[in-house]
Amino acid sequence: MPLCSIRRRSKKKLTKIDQARAFLSSQHSSVGEICLHPDSLQFYQARKVIGDAFGGKTTDKGSDVINSILSQTMPEILGEDTASTSSRQALNAFGLGFFADEQLRKGGMIVGIRDSSGAVQAVIVFREYNVMTERKSNKVVDFFHGVRAYISMSKDPLGVPPVLADKSKMKQWEKATKKMESMDDMFRKWHRQYGPTEPHFYVGVVASDPDGQGKGYCKEVMTILGAAADACHVACYLETQEKNRPYYEKFGYEGVSKVDLVFGEGEEEIRLPGSVMVRHVSSKDT
């Protein structure tokens, strides 16, 4: 009788993001429809919300961080007219699109919520983060991933911001992105210094469409993300402007340190108050 070897198929261990996706897929909302990338939420739809939120319908309603950088390099797009607002939001969608793409590449996901008309109203980009195993950025690798992300975004419905078709504007944008790139090292340093030592969810982007703000969409997504983190028994970590700190406290986040968001040097230095926050696992049964 011939001998047969039986090879057992090992089961792939589910990551915390896999567990979060399974949890979020089972959730329902009375406010709107929960949607997950890439199943029911396209990347360009997410970055459209991100761009509109961070660009702001008016400069005071957008991101002080990015708009402050743009004020030095591309001041003409900081007006309140329709053309300036459109360009500012498109540039935010484009620039932060690279960051969101990086989070997905590192195993992250995007959760959002649609209104009754099907429009995406709020999104959160997050991923599992482990300070012990997180690798330092490799400029060569990052360059090639950046090129891939550029090509991908240039082909989606949003495309590359029309304002960048002007070569002089592209040079101004490149100067702005160099200042934005300094955020990576700054955020990484804070994460090592103030973040949870155990694996946790890094909440990289929280965005709500300006037209839908005040209707509970972002509140709903923040709430279900917290529920998913509790179900996965992991903490959440984020960096934010100090002015946004009270909002995140409503969802159980605690400020662990106040920090300075610093960009540029000398006369071009930009310094804004920020806060590093952590949401611990709820003590309630999950």
Side-chain angles (χ1 to χ4, degrees), residues 5 8 18-19 33 35 59 61 79 82 85 88 104 106 114 121 136 140 144 151 169 259 277:
S5 62
R8 292 183 178 180
D18 291 329
Q19 295 174 37
E33 176 191 354
C35 50
T59 53
K61 297 296 183 181
T82 302
T85 298
R88 188 171 62 250
L104 293 177
K106 292 183 176 180
R114 297 179 185 276
Q121 291 291 342
K136 188 176 181 179
V140 175
F144 284 106
I151 294 173
K169 294 293 189 296
V259 293
M277 307 188 75

Side-chain angles (χ1 to χ4, degrees), residues 153-164:
M153 288 191 288
S154 69
K155 294 180 179 179
D156 74 22
L158 287 186
V160 177
V163 67
L164 295 183

